[in-house]
Amino acid sequence: MKIKELPDFHGYFELFGGRFVPETLIPALDELESAYKEVKNAPSFWAEFDSLSHDYAGRPTPLYFAQRLTEHCGGAQIFLKREDLLHTGAHKINNALGQGLLAKRMEKRRIIAETGAGQHGVAAATICAKLGLECIVYMGEKDIHRQALNVFRMKLLGAEVHPVSSGSKTLKDAINEAIRDWVTNVSDTYYLLGSVVGPHPYPVMVRDFQSVIGKEAKEQILHKCGRLPDYIIACVGGGSNAIGIFHPFVNDKDVKFIGVEAAGRGIKTLQHAASLVAGKVGVLHGAKSYVLQDDAGQIRETHSIAPGLDYPGVGPEHSYYKAIGRATYVAVDDNAALEAFQLLCQTEGIIPALEPAHAISYAVKMASSLDKEQIIVVNLSGRGDKDVDIVVRALGMEL
Ligand SMILES: *Cc1c(COP(=O)(O)O)cnc(C)c1O
C-alpha cells in the first residue's frame, strides 16, 4: 500500500494538523505557505541549502556501524546516523538553516524563535548570525535558570533572549509568547519554529528540511549493506528528527518505524512526556494532535531527563502514522535512558545526547531479541556535551 502524499490542501494529515490559530495569523501563515511552495520547486534555493549544509553544517553525516554495541547485544546489527557530528551538536541546524534561508528570501530580517532547553535557540541564533538576521529567542524563566550556558551561547551569537514568566515558565509558554509576538509584528517578522509542530505549513516544511537525514541514510545503508534496514528507531519530542529519518522510507513497507517517547519517572506517575503513548487527541499550539492534558482539558506539566523530549504535544504526522499503524510508538524512562547513555559512551566512545539515549535504549533491548541478519538504524540526533551536568547529578556525583 502506498501512503498518501500528505498533508492535504488544508494542512491535514487525515484527522491531524490544520490551523487552530487566531484570525490575525491566517494571512501570515498563507504568506509563509505560498513562499514555501515557491522555494520548494526552486533549484537555486535547494542548491544554497545543500551547499551550506555541506560546508557550514557538516553534511553528509556518517552512517556508522556500531560494532561493539552490536556485539554487546548479540543480535541485530546496529547502525547510528551521526547527526551528533553536525555544527551546534544536533539535527536542529538542518531546520534552522532551511527556514533562515526562506526568511531571507521573504525579506524578513527580524527572526523570532522559541526554545526549551536552548538547543533550538542556539541553532536559530547561529543561523541568524551566519545570514546577518536579527534574532529574538523566547525562553521560559524556569528554563533560563536551568540552562544558563545555552542562554549565554545565544547571547554570544548576537541573539536577544526574552524571558517568559507566564504559565509554567517553560517551552509551551515560550511558544505561546512567540506566537503573540508574531501576531503583533507580522509584516517584518519571521517565526522560526523548532520542530514538526504548530499550524500548517510548519509540520510539512520542517519535515522537508529534516528529510535530508533519511535521504542520506537510505543511500548509505544501500551502499553498505545492499538492502534497506528492518527497523528505524528515533526519539520523539516534537518529532522532527524522527520524521526526518522516517519520511524518505515511508513507502518502503518492510522498513518498520519505531518512535521512542520519554516515559520520565514512569507512565503511571504522570511525570512523563509520552504524548502518543499516553495522551489524547486535542489541540496545542495551532494543530490537532496527541496531547498530554488532564480531564478538564488543561495541558499537563511534563517531565523527562532529556530536555528536548520534555514537551506535552507531538507533530501531527506522527499522530497520523500512529492512527494508520505505519509507526509504532513506545516510551523509555529516565533510568533506562541514563543506562543507555553510559553504555554508548563505554562501548563506542560516543557521548550521546539524553534524547537519542532513549532510542538507543530501545534499540539495545530489541537487538538482543533479533537475529544477526537483521538491521537496525538509530538516529543519533545529537551529542551529549550539553547533558553532562544533568548526568552528573542523576548519578549522584559531583564534578
Ligand atoms: C530537540 C532535540 C530532540 C527533540 O526534538 P524532535 O523535534 O523530536 O527531534 C531530540 N534530540 C536532540 C539532540 C534535540 O536537541
Side-chain angles (χ1 to χ4, degrees):
M1 180 190 74
K2 198 167 178 309
I3 304 278
K4 239 185 298 175
E5 191 55 38
L6 289 170
D8 66 16
F9 181 74
H10 300 288
Y12 277 88
F13 300 87
E14 303 264 314
L15 292 175
F16 307 102
R19 281 180 178 174
F20 296 80
V21 296
E23 209 56 43
T24 42
L25 265 191
I26 298 293
L29 291 167
D30 282 342
E31 186 193 1
L32 177 61
E33 188 184 0
S34 71
Y36 180 60
K37 266 191 191 142
E38 214 175 293
V39 302
K40 196 166 175 169
N41 300 308
S44 66
F45 178 85
W46 295 102
E48 198 175 4
F49 179 76
D50 289 348
S51 152
L52 286 174
S53 293
H54 184 273
D55 295 343
Y56 186 72
R59 304 211 72 89
T61 61
L63 182 72
Y64 164 72
F65 175 50
Q67 186 178 350
R68 292 222 324 127
L69 184 66
T70 296
E71 284 165 12
H72 171 90
C73 300
Q77 303 163 50
I78 303 174
F79 287 81
L80 305 176
K81 181 61 176 158
R82 299 288 310 273
E83 295 295 293
D84 61 312
L85 293 176
L86 287 174
H87 183 41
T88 70
H91 69 292
K92 287 199 168 73
I93 196 85
N94 302 326
N95 170 48
L97 174 60
Q99 289 197 59
L101 290 173
L102 178 59
K104 218 168 168 179
R105 291 220 170 190
M106 293 173 76
E107 297 181 348
K108 312 250 180 195
R109 304 199 49 86
R110 180 177 181 269
I111 308 296
I112 57 173
E114 81 295 339
T115 200
Q119 293 306 110
H120 173 58
V122 168
T126 298
I127 290 301
C128 287
K130 157 72 201 148
L131 299 178
L133 302 167
E134 185 190 349
C135 184
I136 292 154
V137 181
Y138 286 95
M139 188 169 186
E141 270 178 353
K142 197 165 152 190
D143 290 331
I144 288 183
H145 290 299
R146 288 192 289 200
Q147 306 287 341
L149 195 57
N150 272 341
V151 174
F152 191 65
R153 277 195 187 106
M154 288 182 256
K155 289 182 179 165
L156 280 175
L157 293 160
E160 257 177 56
V161 179
H162 285 200
V164 176
S165 56
S166 54
S168 57
K169 304 180 174 54
T170 59
L171 175 59
K172 78 170 166 46
D173 313 288
I175 298 182
N176 289 335
E177 209 51 44
I179 293 176
R180 216 162 288 151
D181 177 318
W182 202 27
V183 171
T184 323
N185 302 295
V186 156
S187 59
D188 69 338
T189 298
Y190 183 96
Y191 179 21
L192 206 170
L193 188 46
S195 189
V196 285
V197 300
H200 179 64
Y202 284 104
V204 60
M205 186 169 71
V206 178
R207 176 194 82 193
D208 290 348
F209 292 136
Q210 292 293 1
S211 290
V212 64
I213 306 173
K215 283 181 205 153
E216 282 177 12
K218 195 172 202 173
E219 241 176 64
Q220 290 166 320
I221 199 75
L222 285 173
H223 182 73
K224 280 179 199 276
C225 299
R227 70 174 184 93
L228 295 179
D230 299 286
Y231 296 91
I232 301 177
I233 305 184
C235 65
V236 177
S240 69
N241 86 87
I243 221 76
I245 195 164
F246 290 169
H247 191 259
F249 295 87
V250 74
N251 286 311
D252 300 307
K253 63 175 177 12
D254 295 333
V255 180
K256 297 174 217 50
F257 299 160
I258 300 177
V260 185
E261 296 192 306
R265 300 194 173 98
I267 297 290
K268 288 205 187 88
T269 66
L270 297 183
Q271 294 180 38
H272 62 79
S275 322
L276 289 157
V277 167
K280 285 185 283 205
V281 176
V283 170
L284 177 64
H285 297 137
K288 196 174 196 185
S289 195
Y290 277 85
V291 177
L292 292 169
Q293 52 193 356
D294 62 22
D295 292 334
Q298 293 297 313
I299 301 304
R300 276 221 164 91
E301 295 231 353
T302 52
H303 163 81
S304 170
I305 193 172
L309 302 185
D310 203 350
Y311 178 66
V314 67
E317 194 162 8
H318 286 291
S319 294
Y320 169 63
Y321 283 4
K322 175 182 159 96
I324 61 169
R326 181 62 188 89
T328 306
Y329 296 91
V330 298
V332 161
D333 69 20
D334 288 354
N335 289 333
L338 198 58
E339 231 172 79
F341 176 97
Q342 296 169 85
L343 180 64
L344 195 69
C345 290
Q346 288 163 23
T347 53
E348 296 292 346
I350 296 172
I351 303 178
L354 281 166
E355 293 85 5
H358 288 70
I360 297 285
S361 170
Y362 198 80
V364 162
K365 208 166 63 182
M366 232 181 113
S368 0
S369 68
L370 297 172
D371 70 56
K372 292 188 158 76
E373 310 305 307
Q374 305 259 69
I375 298 171
I376 299 176
V377 171
V378 181
N379 198 12
L380 195 61
S381 54
R383 58 178 175 249
D385 316 34
K386 70 180 181 67
D387 294 323
V388 170
D389 275 350
I390 299 175
V391 172
V392 168
R393 265 178 280 131
L395 295 176
M397 304 205 282
E398 267 176 66
L399 288 181

